[in-house]
Amino acid sequence: MKRIFEFGDSLGPDKVVHIYDHHSGLKAILVVDNVACGPAMGGVRMAPDVTTEEVFRLARAMTFKNAVANLPYGGGKAAILANPKVPAAKKETLMRAFGVAIKEITSYIPGPDMGTDEACMAWVQEETGRAIGLPSAVGGIPLDEIGVTGYGLSVVADVASEFCSIDLSTAKFVVQGAGSVGLHTASFLAARGALLIGVTDSQGTLFNPDGIDIDQLTELKRQGKSVLDYADGGKLSRDAVIDIPCDIWIPAARPDVIDADNVNRLKTKLVIQGANIPFTAKAEQICHDRNILVIPDFIANVGGVICGAVEYGGGTKEIAFQTIEEKIRKNTTLMLENVASTGKLPRQIAIEIAEQRIRRATAYRSKRHGPGLQLIA
């Protein structure tokens, strides 16, 4: 088949699927990147402006994420091109239409992502018979509700702090993005003694050097309000979150928020990537040159997919937290020890670990299952 995309390599993508359904108004993109380790597991995000290339990059991050966590799954990602704040009835219609469209693509297991939640996965599950991140009422482990990704980020912080001379019990941190991942990360870090001093959402940035009450902030967001509605603290522009001096800076929103043009504004020792692909490659290189330790996304934010894998295998919430702790602590330590001994970028080391596991799995698969771009219109 003619190759019509500029992206892709020997690992994948395996399938690129564009979906359009006139009756529901559904427009969606699915990328199954690599299935060497097993069926592709990855989230379904809802946003109006996602591109095919972005979905591929997110799917590749999932390939690496699942491989580096040594899970029996490959990587995939999907995007529904719609405003996530559509009325609930319309959202259900779109999610169910998406489920119908992917039912026969059994090499992909969907989960929640930005703009979708446990209820969305319940609708998809009913149409497909497969999903992760389901509500507890239907036997799932509601990963957004219990904050497993944020818990994993706090474990990363505990490990990484020893490699960059940070005392986590007195550290000050900033979160870019006040969604589920950002708020749960803040809560778990605060439980370890760290102090939240800055946080942003789509309306602006809240800054308080004396600390922000995370319970109050979470309640505000639950009510649909902005971080700027928090009573005590400075109110800054959304972009100003980059300029706040801190020990730990955590991007937990959209891709590519830090690039070569703004990375030098960061004043921190440690970056833990809660979002997927939040830094460009050039920005990560500049941080490395400035001795800012950047923990890449597919090492740091793997808690959600580990929980999903445990759920899919019939495990419990307690097993999920235990598995997240063990896998993330082990992989972060392995990566950082290699960074210290080689001087390579953390992402480079992490990719080498993931690719080694993928290629080892590939050796056991029939050549008819090998990667190769398939376009399904």
Side-chain angles (χ1 to χ4, degrees), residues 260-283:
D261 294 329
N262 61 13
V263 65
N264 283 315
R265 290 164 51 191
L266 284 175
K267 305 176 185 69
T268 189
K269 295 179 181 178
L270 173 63
V271 173
I272 304 175
Q273 295 184 351
N276 291 315
I277 56 173
F279 278 41
T280 64
K282 182 63 175 176

Side-chain angles (χ1 to χ4, degrees), residues 61-292:
M62 291 305 304
T63 295
F64 288 152
K65 185 182 296 188
N66 290 332
V68 85
N70 219 12
L71 297 174
Y73 299 103
K77 205 75 170 185
I80 294 173
L81 307 183
N83 186 334
K85 295 182 180 180
V86 295
K90 177 63 175 177
K91 198 166 196 175
E92 180 176 356
T93 296
L94 291 173
M95 295 305 305
R96 288 188 179 277
F98 175 76
V100 170
I102 68 165
K103 184 175 182 178
E104 303 305 319
I105 307 175
T106 55
S107 59
Y108 173 62
I109 301 168
D113 198 278
M114 188 180 70
T116 64
D117 57 14
E118 288 88 355
C120 293
M121 291 307 104
W123 297 325
V124 172
Q125 161 77 11
E126 190 171 5
E127 302 297 339
T128 64
R130 62 185 193 277
I132 60 171
L134 296 166
S136 55
V138 293
I141 304 176
L143 54 90
D144 280 340
E145 180 183 316
I146 62 177
V148 290
T149 302
Y151 177 71
L153 291 174
S154 74
V155 174
V156 170
D158 188 44
V159 175
S161 61
E162 299 181 11
F163 287 81
C164 51
S165 302
I166 293 174
D167 181 351
L168 198 56
S169 67
T170 60
K172 295 184 177 182
F173 69 98
V174 169
V175 175
Q176 184 263 335
S180 175
V181 172
L183 292 174
H184 278 112
T185 301
S187 181
F188 283 117
L189 281 175
R192 296 176 185 265
L195 187 70
L196 176 66
I197 62 168
V199 62
T200 190
D201 62 15
S202 61
Q203 302 303 307
T205 298
L206 169 68
F207 170 61
N208 188 331
D210 296 322
I212 297 165
D213 188 298
I214 297 165
D215 289 339
Q216 288 185 32
L217 185 68
T218 300
E219 178 59 24
L220 280 175
K221 295 301 295 182
R222 189 192 66 78
Q223 295 172 7
K225 297 181 179 180
S226 167
V227 298
L228 300 184
D229 293 310
Y230 186 89
D232 189 16
K235 311 302 191 294
L236 310 173
S237 70
R238 183 174 62 179
D239 191 51
V241 72
I242 302 171
D243 303 303
I244 299 174
C246 59
D247 298 299
I248 305 171
W249 200 83
I250 301 169
R254 294 294 298 269
D256 298 329
V257 294
I258 300 295
D259 56 26
D261 294 329
N262 61 13
V263 65
N264 283 315
R265 290 164 51 191
L266 284 175
K267 305 176 185 69
T268 189
K269 295 179 181 178
L270 173 63
V271 173
I272 304 175
Q273 295 184 351
N276 291 315
I277 56 173
F279 278 41
T280 64
K282 182 63 175 176
E284 289 191 6
Q285 180 65 61
I286 292 170
C287 284
H288 189 67
D289 295 340
R290 292 178 56 201
N291 293 317
I292 297 174

Side-chain angles (χ1 to χ4, degrees), residues 41 72-73 109 131-132 139 141 306-316 319:
M41 182 177 283
Y73 299 103
I109 301 168
I132 60 171
I141 304 176
I306 293 174
C307 180
V310 170
E311 174 191 332
Y312 206 65
T316 64
I319 292 173

